[in-house]
Amino acid sequence: MAPKKGSFIILGSLLLTGLPFFFLGGPGYQSGRSFQGAWDLGHILFFALLGTLLLGLCKRRTAVVGTGRTFALVFALVFAVGLVVELLQMQSGGRTPDVADLVRNQLGCLLAFALFAPSGWRWTRPLRLGVAGLLVLALWPLSRALIDETLAARQFPVLADFETPFETWRWVHPSQLRTQSGIVRHGERAARVQLTTARYSGVSLFHFPGDWRGYRWLRFSVYNPREEPLELNCRIHDARHREHRNEFHDRFNQQFRLQQGWNDLVVDLDRVRTAPRGRSMDLGRIEGFGLFVVQQPRPLTIVLDHVVLSE
């Protein structure tokens, strides 16, 4: 079946309302993971509506065309529209194109097919089962984010202890972290951090409760497996750091000399507050905590555990 005639105006209005969001707004680099996940699902919704509209138009104008050919035509049209949107985003400068968005676009089109495929068509049931499975996969990033954001709020003032699922996704480049139970400072698990020979190699915690007011210390433990000492750099910045073009002197920087074995490190938040040149760090809006090494001669692995605020 196809959408009824009276639905076309509503569908068109919804599509015109949603179109500007491909070029305006949207999540940024520091946006919450649940917001990013929800925003990505907007592609599925928009192109499900577009697929529904195109499917209805094709059914009305080409009634003699078989169901399979109609779906193929609409699928191709949706892909073309999605590709044009991605290219326009590239030209506008405000957004960057993403192949994953094209995949979500086509999933939206398949969702329209699944909803309006005729019940007597032999491919209707497999199509609906397949689309249901793909939707579960598409919903997973948002679900994972909501679960971990809830856990992070409950754990606070612990920022990361690697005892709960999905904590590695609080960090930038989570593939560099792997939870393990062999070498642990606190609890039952810690994170093994892989460092490379790049000029700057490390990890950054970006997704966490950012109101650090009322706390005096940031504590964390790092295990150095090497016999020789290792110079580890720590950086902390707030939301205003972007307004100052991410300058080195507009953030907190401290270097630690790690001895072999566990090193229990402490950062004085009073020093963090006064670190930016010409202003005070906003401890109510901390956005990033990073650990990195500089130009190592060979790859190495360290272990990180129990990142926590204390009074």
Side-chain angles (χ1 to χ4, degrees):
M1 62 179 288
K4 295 181 180 180
K5 182 177 180 180
S7 302
F8 288 123
I9 295 177
I10 297 175
L11 287 172
S13 300
L14 290 173
L15 290 170
L16 288 175
T17 301
L19 185 61
F21 290 99
F22 286 105
F23 308 97
L24 303 172
Y29 187 57
Q30 295 276 9
S31 298
R33 292 165 294 168
S34 58
F35 178 52
Q36 295 178 22
W39 188 271
D40 287 341
L41 294 179
H43 282 263
I44 298 176
L45 176 60
F46 181 90
F47 283 90
L49 295 175
L50 178 61
T52 300
L53 180 64
L54 293 175
L55 182 61
L57 292 173
C58 288
K59 282 291 186 180
R60 289 179 63 195
R61 297 187 180 186
T62 59
V64 295
V65 177
T67 301
R69 292 184 179 181
T70 302
F71 282 0
L73 175 61
V74 172
F75 194 82
L77 288 173
V78 167
F79 180 79
V81 172
L83 185 60
V84 169
V85 168
E86 294 298 316
L87 293 175
L88 289 175
Q89 286 179 342
M90 183 186 299
Q91 296 299 320
S92 68
R95 304 283 298 278
T96 56
D98 187 353
V99 174
D101 287 342
L102 290 175
V103 174
R104 284 186 280 266
N105 298 347
Q106 298 310 111
L107 177 54
C109 182
L110 289 174
L111 176 59
F113 292 170
L115 291 174
F116 295 103
S119 57
W121 189 43
R122 62 175 178 170
W123 294 108
T124 296
R125 182 176 174 80
L127 174 64
R128 289 174 176 172
L129 290 174
V131 169
L134 292 173
L135 285 175
V136 170
L137 292 177
L139 285 167
W140 175 239
L142 175 60
S143 302
R144 181 182 61 197
L146 290 171
I147 292 170
D148 191 53
E149 287 172 359
T150 301
L151 291 173
R154 292 178 179 176
Q155 287 177 316
F156 191 76
V158 175
L159 302 179
D161 205 22
F162 308 103
E163 302 293 325
T164 59
F166 318 132
E167 283 195 41
T168 55
W169 294 97
R170 300 176 190 176
W171 302 75
V172 176
H173 306 306
S175 59
Q176 291 182 238
L177 292 95
R178 185 180 55 168
T179 57
Q180 51 87 42
S181 56
I183 302 173
V184 176
R185 188 58 163 173
H186 180 271
E188 298 181 356
R189 304 188 69 80
R192 188 178 298 272
V193 182
Q194 181 63 53
L195 302 173
T196 70
T197 58
R199 183 177 181 184
Y200 302 106
S201 177
V203 290
S204 296
L205 180 65
F206 267 17
H207 303 292
F208 56 90
D211 189 351
W212 292 10
R213 293 172 297 180
Y215 296 93
R216 176 64 193 279
W217 313 100
L218 171 65
R219 303 178 185 273
F220 54 98
S221 298
V222 182
Y223 182 85
N224 175 21
R226 306 190 310 177
E227 293 184 1
E228 62 269 28
L230 174 67
E231 304 295 336
L232 180 70
N233 299 277
C234 169
R235 56 167 292 174
I236 298 172
H237 70 267
D238 62 1
R240 294 183 59 193
H241 186 53
R242 287 170 290 168
E243 301 172 9
H244 295 79
R245 296 178 295 181
N246 300 320
E247 293 180 355
F248 177 83
H249 295 292
D250 189 65
R251 72 188 194 208
F252 171 81
N253 302 281
Q254 183 172 349
Q255 188 175 80
F256 296 98
R257 186 175 178 85
L258 304 184
Q259 303 300 322
Q260 186 178 28
W262 279 109
N263 297 259
D264 296 319
L265 308 177
V266 180
V267 172
D268 185 341
L269 294 185
D270 280 343
R271 291 185 57 199
V272 173
R273 180 176 51 81
T274 59
R277 180 180 295 173
R279 70 177 184 91
S280 294
M281 183 87 72
D282 186 353
L283 293 182
R285 299 172 63 202
I286 299 297
E287 277 197 347
F289 160 68
L291 298 171
F292 64 94
V293 294
V294 179
Q295 201 74 62
Q296 294 300 301
R298 61 183 184 275
L300 67 145
T301 301
I302 60 175
V303 179
L304 174 64
D305 201 3
H306 202 49
V307 184
V308 60
L309 299 170
S310 64
E311 298 179 358

